[in-house]
Amino acid sequence: MPEARTIGELGEFGLIRRITAGLSRIESPTTVLGPGDDAAVISAPDGRVVASTDLLLEHRHFRRDWSTANDIGHKAAARNFADIAAMGAQPTSLLVGLAAPAETELSWVDGLVAGFAEECAEVGAQVVGGDISASAEILLSVTALGDLAGRAPVTLSGARAGQVVAVTGLLGWAAAGFAVLSRGFRSPVQVVNAHRRPQPPYAEGIRAAEAGATSMTDISDGLIADLGHIAAGSGVRIDLRADALAAPAKLRDVASALNVDPMSWVLGGGDDYGLVATFPTFAATPAGWTVIGMVSEGEGVRVDGLRYADGGHEHFR
């Protein structure tokens, strides 16, 4: 028999065996029983489990001509782990559903699985299970689990007037990379790679929680949009300072070449998965975080006192 090259040639159960064999070498202290059985068994040292789920659809969330399978695996894991970190929790596990056409190359699946495994290794987590299905397009359904280690979760509803707003991680780089790729270019590599493979500051979520962050979220849809969730959840107004959010030189250069306002990426661009949080005082803000504004009485988000026109990404809009 010739060696299988595609999912269809290998078959569902052959594919499951191939994927689980690639994941069985990875260990996590919270995994009691990993992939390969009817269900995984995960320990919950804290007694509570933080859980988040996400869908990634080909041509909407990723393009195979822009990103390698390894990039896509990294990004799919990263956007879910960022949600866990934004609660002040430690990521522990992933459950991954994959739907794909029968003609999908096995080498592509191998790259995808490697990307998931490598991103898991960044945080000490493990892919513990999932599902396989046939589909006309590639669809990923990813569920991340995390552990609070005795801490209270940091939610969207704890911001109060008089507190400071601070951010850590990149702002606008992935949006700039998307703009570059959309125009048919593949450089500058630094911004293109920010779109292909984000690097969320995972450890900062726990640091913020330990420093007394009163609210926090990851920046997935854009700074304005995601701070809007904190403003709405907390019943407050967020006032940002434009001078604290100045675009770095690299973004300004790319924006100039594309005739774009770089602040549209900084304020409205998502997919970087940095973290934004509120803290009781300036002094309570951890090193590595940049204070960008204040919480006040009222509603919504303002930049230098004005509403910003681009509210960021929203499905169905």
Side-chain angles (χ1 to χ4, degrees):
M1 292 287 291
E3 184 178 356
R5 295 184 305 104
T6 68
I7 289 176
E9 292 172 358
L10 187 62
E12 177 184 359
F13 298 109
L15 180 61
I16 291 172
R17 287 192 293 271
R18 186 185 185 101
I19 291 173
T20 54
L23 296 171
S24 61
R25 298 184 299 273
I26 304 164
E27 296 182 358
S28 169
T30 59
T31 302
V32 178
L33 181 64
D37 217 303
D38 290 324
V41 180
I42 309 298
S43 65
D46 176 82
R48 300 166 296 174
V49 176
V50 180
S52 177
T53 194
D54 214 354
L55 291 173
L56 292 91
L57 180 64
E58 186 178 9
H59 304 306
R60 174 165 289 274
H61 298 101
F62 63 87
R63 285 175 47 169
R64 284 190 276 173
D65 58 330
W66 285 4
S67 303
T68 67
N70 191 266
D71 289 334
I72 294 165
H74 273 277
K75 187 170 185 174
R79 57 190 283 155
N80 280 268
F81 285 151
D83 283 330
I84 302 301
M87 301 295 290
Q90 174 67 42
T92 60
S93 312
L94 279 184
L95 295 161
V96 180
L98 168 64
E103 61 270 19
T104 304
E105 296 281 340
L106 289 171
S107 59
W108 190 90
V109 177
D110 291 343
L112 179 74
V113 172
F116 273 113
E118 289 158 11
E119 195 68 26
C120 282
E122 292 287 327
V123 294
Q126 183 182 16
V127 178
V128 295
D131 193 23
I132 299 292
S133 180
S135 173
E137 292 185 320
I138 292 177
L139 171 67
L140 295 167
S141 175
V142 184
T143 298
L145 306 177
D147 182 69
L148 286 163
R151 292 178 296 274
V154 185
T155 68
L156 298 172
S157 60
R160 298 293 181 266
Q163 296 177 349
V164 301
V165 182
V167 67
T168 188
L170 298 178
L171 284 175
W173 288 77
F178 178 83
V180 167
L181 289 164
S182 296
R183 287 160 174 77
F185 302 111
R186 296 295 184 269
S187 64
V189 172
Q190 192 175 6
V191 295
V192 168
N193 284 347
H195 168 76
R196 289 171 170 159
R197 191 180 294 193
Q199 296 182 324
Y202 300 123
E204 295 300 324
I206 292 176
R207 289 188 68 226
E210 291 175 341
T214 56
S215 67
M216 182 161 52
T217 189
D218 67 309
I219 305 168
S220 56
D221 297 321
L223 180 65
I224 298 293
D226 290 311
L227 274 175
H229 301 319
I230 289 180
S234 300
V236 296
R237 169 171 157 169
I238 304 288
D239 289 293
L240 302 179
R241 301 192 336 264
D243 64 341
L245 292 162
K250 176 65 73 175
L251 290 195
R252 295 198 304 272
D253 291 344
V254 175
S256 177
L258 298 180
N259 194 28
V260 174
D261 178 4
M263 288 302 286
S264 68
W265 295 334
V266 172
L267 295 173
D271 259 9
D272 283 308
Y273 303 101
L275 298 173
V276 63
T278 57
F279 295 91
T281 63
F282 185 92
T285 307
W289 288 71
T290 301
V291 173
I292 58 173
M294 296 289 296
V295 183
S296 61
E297 300 286 351
E299 53 81 29
V301 181
R302 308 290 194 280
V303 181
D304 290 342
L306 303 174
R307 290 187 182 273
Y308 189 68
D310 183 0
H313 177 74
E314 182 182 342
H315 289 290
F316 310 114
R317 189 181 65 179

